[in-house]
Amino acid sequence: MRYLPHGPADRKAMLQYIGASGPDDLVATVPEELRLRGPLDLPPPLSEMELQDRMSELSMKNASTGCYRSFLGAGAYDHFVPVAVDHLLSRTEFYSSYTPYQPEISQGTLQTIFEFQSLVCMLTELDVANASLYDGATAVVEALLMASRVVGRDRIVVAGTLHPEYLATVRTYFRNLGLSLTAVPWGDDGRVDPRALGAAVDESTAAVAVQSPNAFGVVERLDRISAEARAKGAAAVAVVAEPYSLGVLRGPGALGCDVAVGEAQAFGNALSFGGPYLGFMAARDRYVRQMPGRIVGETTDLEGRRGFVLTLSTREQHIRRAKATSNICTNQGLCMTAATIHLALIGREGLRGIALANRAKASYTAGKLAAVKGVKRAFAGPVFNEFVLDLPRPAAEVLEALRGKGILGGLDLSRWFPEMRQRILVAVTERTRREDSDAYAAAMAEVL
């Protein structure tokens, strides 16, 4: 919030304007016994300059990617965001807009959503996309609930390589919904075990959900998994936590998947201490009436002019609660707008170029780190921009030592997998410079 000083004369003028005789009139409805009688325990007032200095001093206590060489990923990625994204996003028609309760008079908002949906369909190679969801984790839940409704079964199979926090969200939702959940283990290459998956999927299965690249950064065989699911009449659900991977990998739709969901923070949205983030969902046509949230369509008016309409909105604000497909009552409008601007700016070739840079830099960094004595790659499966390393010492000790050298070396996987005390997940993006990777490898050698 900007610095907005006001003195006694300003306060008096404001009270007079609204017809109040004093500050007590503003809280007249609050019971007397609940009111604070006395000054707040606050430090003395500061000038604008003093306040800015104080806030800068406080903000310096935060660690950020601006003061560390960061190799953290695991579902939140430090990608470059062109300054034009924030500039366009700060336009008042975007920044101040709220959900379009009278949608057809909000043509700008509707067109932005329509463009986002179109971009998601292009990325995923599927037929239809919705206006966005809260985040990747809730998008996975909504996809599985949707698949259960469409297929008419209540048993869900998920890969054990699904992001553990996504899986925890699914378990939370399923706890009281009467849906069963089976998690399939992974093999030595870091991919879901095909034999275990084959044994888990049967004619009672509603959906099979697999993340690719998965929680270990390994690219899964979506074509084989989707064929396995569809052979049993189940929906194949692809989860994408790092959407830049779609710049070099085939879209889930082209690999036989029925639904694709994931997290789109990587496009135009900053890390922001964990949120707000942006979930997306795309599916084949037959799912459209069961998709959560809302869908914007394109049309023409009576004079033949291009226009946009709220085509479907199967949420409880618009239809009877019992008929709603979800209790999600909004899309992540501003985050969705940022992603749309970002993708429009970089274009198809830009997306592919950045994705290739991610893959190349990850390959270089993995090679440098694996060359350090005692360090080796944990899984042999193909990766995009993340990989797991085996360390000769507990990961927590190594990462703490690296932090002392100004490097956030990755994620300690024992956070989610207690048996992996000596494994870390390392992420690389286009922002990682060669000297960052070299410095990381040198620091790792010193630490070990």
Side-chain angles (χ1 to χ4, degrees), residues 43-55:
L46 301 174
S47 69
E48 182 173 7
M49 183 175 69
E50 292 170 332
L51 183 62
Q52 287 185 355
D53 289 345
R54 177 59 180 153
M55 297 308 291

Side-chain angles (χ1 to χ4, degrees), residues 91-345:
R91 290 176 62 100
T92 53
E93 58 266 46
F94 291 136
Y95 216 73
S96 62
S97 64
Y98 189 54
T99 190
Y101 285 116
Q102 294 177 294
E104 275 62 48
I105 65 170
S106 305
Q107 285 295 297
T109 298
L110 293 187
Q111 181 171 359
T112 305
I113 295 174
F114 179 81
E115 303 292 353
F116 172 77
Q117 294 172 177
S118 302
L119 291 165
V120 171
C121 287
M122 293 169 68
L123 281 170
T124 58
E125 300 190 64
L126 283 164
D127 303 323
V128 59
N130 72 5
S132 74
L133 296 161
Y134 289 152
D135 54 24
T138 52
V140 174
V141 174
E142 294 291 346
L144 298 180
L145 296 178
M146 178 177 72
S148 177
R149 292 191 298 271
V150 172
V151 177
R153 303 173 184 170
D154 58 7
R155 183 167 172 271
I156 305 294
V157 174
V158 299
T161 50
L162 181 67
H163 192 301
E165 292 174 359
Y166 291 10
L167 184 55
T169 307
V170 172
R171 291 189 193 282
T172 300
Y173 269 71
F174 279 22
R175 193 171 299 153
N176 297 309
L177 292 178
L179 298 174
S180 72
L181 184 68
T182 301
V184 178
W186 57 87
D188 293 338
D189 61 354
R191 291 165 154 166
V192 62
D193 184 334
R195 285 180 294 184
L197 183 76
V201 180
D202 58 25
E203 282 72 14
S204 69
T205 305
V208 178
V210 178
Q211 179 177 323
S212 183
N214 64 30
F216 303 136
V218 181
V219 178
E220 296 276 4
R221 299 184 184 90
L222 285 182
D223 53 345
R224 297 185 188 178
I225 295 168
S226 62
E228 186 89 42
R230 300 181 79 175
K232 300 292 173 57
V237 177
V239 181
V240 185
E242 170 48 293
Y244 260 111
S245 64
L246 297 176
V248 290
L249 301 175
R250 290 302 309 270
L255 298 174
C257 295
D258 302 289
V259 183
V261 288
E263 174 58 59
Q265 169 269 323
F267 298 141
N269 287 278
L271 292 171
S272 298
F273 297 94
Y277 280 0
L278 170 65
F280 68 87
M281 173 181 285
R284 299 197 185 280
D285 275 338
R286 73 188 185 105
Y287 288 80
V288 67
R289 289 194 172 277
Q290 288 295 329
M291 291 186 83
R294 50 192 169 195
I295 299 171
V296 170
E298 181 182 22
T299 188
T300 55
D301 65 11
L302 290 174
E303 298 175 359
R305 296 174 300 186
R306 188 189 190 206
F308 301 91
V309 294
L310 198 56
T311 305
L312 287 174
S313 189
T314 54
R315 58 194 194 139
E316 59 190 26
Q317 276 186 323
H318 288 164
I319 63 177
R320 283 180 294 166
R321 185 171 186 172
K323 298 280 187 182
T325 58
S326 169
N327 68 351
I328 285 185
C329 293
T330 185
N331 68 299
Q332 291 285 55
L334 201 62
C335 298
M336 174 276 301
T337 303
T340 305
I341 296 170
H342 190 153
L343 284 168
L345 281 170

Side-chain angles (χ1 to χ4, degrees), residues 338-355:
T340 305
I341 296 170
H342 190 153
L343 284 168
L345 281 170
I346 63 176
R348 186 188 297 270
E349 292 306 314
L351 175 68
R352 178 170 173 75
I354 295 169

